[in-house]
Structure formats: C-alpha cells, structure tokens
Amino acid sequence: MKMFLCARGHLTERPILCCGDFNVAHTAADSTHESAFHNEPGFSADERSTFSALLEVGFVDIWRELHPVPAGGAAAESASFTWRGLPDAEGRYGSGKEQRLDYFLAPAEWQKRRVKACDILGSGKARIGFLGSDHAPVQLTLRPLKHPL
C-alpha cells in the first residue's frame, strides 16, 4: 500500500487523500483496553508497523493531528473511537472495549492548508452517530480551494 500511494502521488502530481477502515489501532491511545486486544487482528505489531510506514513517508493521521491524546488517555465514552463492537440482542453496547480503526491520511502540507476539521460522529453510551453500524463515521471538513493544486 505504501508503494502504491507513493507511486500514485508521483504520477498524478496531486496530493493523495487516503481514508477508510484500516482495521488497525495504531497506538495504545487508539484503544480503551490495549491488554484485551493484544495480538488480536488489528492490534498486532506487524499491522501497527505497516500503518507507521505510511506515516513515515509523509502522510499524517489527520484526526490525531487535530485531537492529540489527552493526559491519561481518552475515556471510553468520548468521541475518540470509531469501533465499539456490535450491540447485544437488546441493542446495548455493554463491553466498553473500543478502538479507533477508521482514518483519514493525507500529506502533512496538504493537511495544514486544506483541513478545517476532522470529527468522529459517534459518542456516548447511546452511541449517537453510529447509524446501525459497529463503526462510527469520520467526517473531514475542508477549507475552500483558493488556487488550483
């Protein structure tokens, strides 16, 4: 993926914006229970290092850039996580084990010029914003383009 994104960026001479469910909790701050997920899919050292490789070639994790990790980590009921699992038969999300698996990645310079906001829309025990999925949508708001790229 790293090679593809780098090659594509050179071919088009335009910035690449990469987004979606990467299915990896990149750091301990991207999970409420790191020990519970240790070496589970999406939490292995190999998956985390592959994601880190994207950041090493100049991409930034836009949400994390705009929302640094608070002292002591994020609370489970905060809007810091995009995955909270499926509800039980009665529609309750009881496990409290949550991860941030969904990302917007972009070149650092582009992010500084164009990004106005990046928000995770699901939060709280009621999971407002999840819209029937086990993943919350991530919303990216851009500044108007003043000059062609």
Side-chain angles (χ1 to χ4, degrees), residues 19-79:
C19 62
D21 177 2
F22 283 72
N23 220 26
V24 61
H26 182 232
T27 68
D30 298 317
S31 175
T32 57
H33 294 75
E34 183 170 17
S35 61
F37 292 114
H38 186 67
N39 285 328
E40 291 290 322
F43 220 74
S44 71
D46 185 51
E47 290 163 313
R48 287 174 148 184
S49 67
T50 299
F51 189 92
S52 291
L54 292 172
L55 303 180
E56 291 167 6
V57 296
F59 286 95
V60 294
D61 173 355
I62 295 174
W63 191 88
R64 182 59 69 209
E65 286 286 314
L66 298 175
H67 305 275
V69 178
E77 55 276 348
S78 75

Side-chain angles (χ1 to χ4, degrees), residues 44-117:
S44 71
D46 185 51
E47 290 163 313
R48 287 174 148 184
S49 67
T50 299
F51 189 92
S52 291
L54 292 172
L55 303 180
E56 291 167 6
V57 296
F59 286 95
V60 294
D61 173 355
I62 295 174
W63 191 88
R64 182 59 69 209
E65 286 286 314
L66 298 175
H67 305 275
V69 178
E77 55 276 348
S78 75
S80 297
F81 305 101
T82 62
W83 178 86
R84 290 180 169 102
L86 294 170
D88 63 18
E90 296 172 3
R92 295 177 302 211
Y93 294 85
S95 74
K97 294 177 181 164
E98 303 168 8
Q99 297 182 356
R100 187 169 69 95
L101 304 176
D102 305 270
Y103 300 86
F104 273 100
L105 304 178
E109 285 304 313
W110 185 88
Q111 183 265 330
K112 290 175 187 172
R113 286 185 292 123
R114 294 295 316 277
V115 174
K116 184 175 181 179

Side-chain angles (χ1 to χ4, degrees), residues 87-149:
D88 63 18
E90 296 172 3
R92 295 177 302 211
Y93 294 85
S95 74
K97 294 177 181 164
E98 303 168 8
Q99 297 182 356
R100 187 169 69 95
L101 304 176
D102 305 270
Y103 300 86
F104 273 100
L105 304 178
E109 285 304 313
W110 185 88
Q111 183 265 330
K112 290 175 187 172
R113 286 185 292 123
R114 294 295 316 277
V115 174
K116 184 175 181 179
C118 187
D119 298 295
I120 297 170
L121 301 182
S123 63
K125 287 192 179 243
R127 308 304 189 231
I128 297 166
F130 272 69
L131 309 172
S133 174
D134 60 337
H135 288 256
V138 181
Q139 176 178 284
L140 184 66
T141 306
L142 302 177
R143 291 183 184 97
L145 183 61
K146 294 178 183 176
H147 305 288
L149 298 175

